[in-house]
Amino acid sequence: MNPRTTEMLICSSLDEVKRRESALRFIANLLKGKERSSLYDLSGLAGGFPVKESDLPLLETYSGPAIFSTYLQEEGKKHLGGDKVAAFNRTSAAILATILALVKPGEEVLHYLPELPSHPSIPRSVKLQGATYRETDNLQDFQLTPKTSLVVITGSTMDHRVLPLEDFHRIINISHEQQVPVLVDDASGARIRTVIYQQPRALDMGADLVVTSTDKLMNGPRAGLMAGKTPLINIIMEKAQQFGLEAQPPVIAGVVRALEDFTPQSLLNSLERRDHVYTLLREVMGGVEKTPTGFMISAATLQKEIIPGGEERSPRELATLMAMVLLKEHHLVTIPAVGMPGVSTTIRLDLSAADARRLDDSQIITAIRESLGRVKEIADDAETCLSILYE
């Protein structure tokens, strides 16, 4: 065995920060030399900033909120329902503000999701507040205690696993029987669940609060949009403003215009193409899975394809390496290459993304096939792997 095989490639969150910086440097250099059309963001998180020229004079500290906050209430309630809406600089910021406002040190947050693990922002926020945290994807283990002061439900996971409707209702009912408020983390679920799976909006099912990401499967800036009952929104926003977690006027303007522009049909149009590409991709590698708007390759699947029966490279290392090869050699953006530390290692390609319309199916299949071959070729060469990840 090549002695370099055992050298770890990703040892800490700091390494993940360096990986992300490397990916962003590559994107910056690519765009300096070529047009934006040379990059294909299929992450499903491409977002956008669709403000109008007439909006620009209003992107000020006070006139901006005066104008766009009114529009935000109108468009946000159309999208999410509820009595009142608030915008935050990220979904993670909305979650942190909620936990700071509703959970006291020593109390408990109980989190139910379709599949473990949770997004790291939730347990990290709970730890910061000095509370305790439990998560489960098994209804038999969903047991509130006298210390439980907030229940969080994930409607759709980072890998687009969607919570069944009957589980939603059951968890909300159990929580409300014990007078515990329910926050639904519907980052992408506010669109996947309602448009593709035709589930009701979270607040229409009785949840007290819901938060979504306005860059996930819609053309908005990276921001969090929360809706819910007015008293809860008020105390959460009070906490958000204490720590600068609220969205600023330019972001609110971008969110408003993205909500105005959102059309469910753009997601529905991707379904037929998804099925066709999925069929072709299964001929390239096994274990590929469909998502609501595309397909995904898990880190465990990659490990089986690249190192059958072996564990010389961890699933996270192989998935991150594959994502970086897709980026640097084929200019395809996926989440494991550009995501924050702790991001999902699953490689997802979203065919509802605007950039997907500039790629034909054969280009996507070729990129996957060649990247898979490249990772197989270099997996036991730590020096080359490190260069691709961090240089």
Side-chain angles (χ1 to χ4, degrees):
M1 179 185 295
N2 187 326
R4 294 176 297 176
T5 300
T6 58
E7 182 176 340
M8 291 185 65
L9 305 177
I10 302 173
C11 302
S12 65
S13 294
L14 180 58
D15 283 342
E16 294 192 74
V17 171
K18 293 177 180 177
R19 175 267 305 157
R20 184 171 187 269
E21 290 175 346
S22 173
L24 296 181
R25 277 197 307 271
F26 175 84
I27 292 172
N29 290 331
L30 177 68
L31 298 184
K32 285 176 185 176
K34 299 182 180 181
E35 298 294 329
R36 169 62 178 81
S37 59
S38 63
L39 187 72
Y40 305 95
D41 191 335
L42 305 186
S43 67
L45 306 177
F49 206 80
V51 293
K52 302 176 181 178
E53 187 173 351
S54 59
D55 296 335
L56 299 181
L58 298 172
L59 304 184
E60 300 174 335
T61 302
Y62 299 113
S63 60
I67 295 296
F68 292 111
S69 293
T70 300
Y71 296 152
L72 182 74
Q73 293 301 316
E74 296 174 2
E75 296 299 327
K77 284 189 277 190
K78 287 180 188 177
H79 198 71
L80 296 176
D83 303 325
K84 191 171 184 178
V85 172
F88 300 78
N89 55 38
R90 280 183 59 184
T91 302
S92 297
I95 289 169
L96 173 59
T98 301
I99 290 170
L100 292 176
L102 302 184
V103 181
K104 295 181 175 63
E107 293 182 339
E108 178 188 73
V109 173
L110 179 55
H111 185 190
Y112 191 88
L113 60 167
E115 183 180 68
L116 300 176
S118 75
H119 189 281
S121 64
I122 300 174
R124 288 172 180 171
S125 297
V126 174
K127 183 178 180 180
L128 186 65
Q129 180 66 338
T132 58
Y133 174 79
R134 283 191 295 134
E135 64 181 30
T136 180
D137 56 5
N138 185 341
L139 273 173
Q140 301 301 318
D141 296 331
F142 184 78
Q143 302 290 333
L144 280 70
T145 73
K147 291 187 176 182
T148 306
S149 58
L150 178 66
V151 166
V152 179
I153 300 174
T154 292
S156 173
T157 68
M158 292 183 283
D159 292 336
H160 292 179
R161 308 288 189 190
V162 172
L163 187 66
L165 196 56
E166 56 271 23
D167 293 352
F168 244 118
H169 286 298
R170 184 173 176 184
I171 294 163
I172 291 172
N173 290 338
I174 292 172
S175 302
H176 285 173
E177 284 172 3
Q178 300 190 39
Q179 299 183 326
V180 174
V182 176
L183 163 67
V184 176
D185 177 10
D186 236 358
S188 58
R191 287 157 296 284
I192 286 177
R193 290 192 311 97
T194 60
V195 176
I196 305 248
Y197 290 87
Q198 299 184 333
Q199 291 186 356
R201 297 177 301 183
L203 297 177
D204 294 338
M205 288 189 283
D208 303 285
L209 296 161
V210 62
V211 64
T212 193
S213 299
T214 58
D215 64 337
K216 291 186 176 180
L217 303 180
M218 64 181 293
N219 187 37
R222 188 171 197 186
L225 180 69
M226 178 174 280
K229 297 178 179 178
T230 298
L232 293 177
I233 294 291
N234 287 344
I235 61 174
I236 292 167
M237 278 306 296
E238 178 188 11
K239 191 65 68 172
Q241 290 168 0
Q242 291 176 17
F243 294 97
L245 302 173
E246 79 282 7
Q248 298 305 302
V251 173
I252 296 174
V255 169
V256 167
R257 299 311 178 198
L259 290 169
E260 291 174 341
D261 293 346
F262 175 71
T263 53
Q265 192 61 41
S266 64
L267 299 183
L268 296 173
N269 290 343
S270 67
L271 299 183
E272 183 176 349
R273 187 181 184 192
R274 174 202 65 185
D275 293 342
H276 178 63
V277 174
Y278 172 75
T279 300
L280 296 176
L281 190 54
R282 285 187 60 119
E283 298 176 6
V284 175
M285 63 184 300
V288 180
E289 299 176 70
K290 288 184 184 181
T291 68
T293 58
F295 59 89
M296 65 183 185
I297 305 167
S298 72
T301 292
L302 277 175
Q303 189 179 47
K304 291 177 183 177
E305 285 282 335
I306 295 167
I307 312 175
E311 298 180 355
E312 291 86 351
R313 290 276 175 246
S314 72
R316 175 171 289 276
E317 289 175 336
L318 292 172
T320 306
L321 191 60
M322 176 83 168
M324 292 296 276
V325 171
L326 281 168
L327 172 63
K328 293 186 173 181
E329 298 188 7
H330 299 277
H331 303 172
L332 298 188
V333 180
T334 58
I335 293 171
V338 295
M340 300 290 186
V343 73
S344 169
T345 56
T346 300
I347 295 174
R348 296 197 307 266
L349 279 79
D350 173 37
L351 299 181
S352 72
D355 286 357
R357 294 191 283 272
R358 297 189 291 105
L359 286 165
D360 61 40
D361 296 348
S362 64
Q363 287 175 288
I364 295 173
I365 299 301
T366 297
I368 297 291
R369 180 189 294 112
E370 292 183 356
S371 297
L372 181 62
R374 176 69 167 144
V375 175
K376 287 180 178 179
E377 176 187 323
I378 65 172
D380 66 347
D381 184 343
E383 184 177 347
T384 300
C385 291
L386 290 168
S387 175
I388 290 173
L389 289 175
Y390 302 119
E391 292 183 5

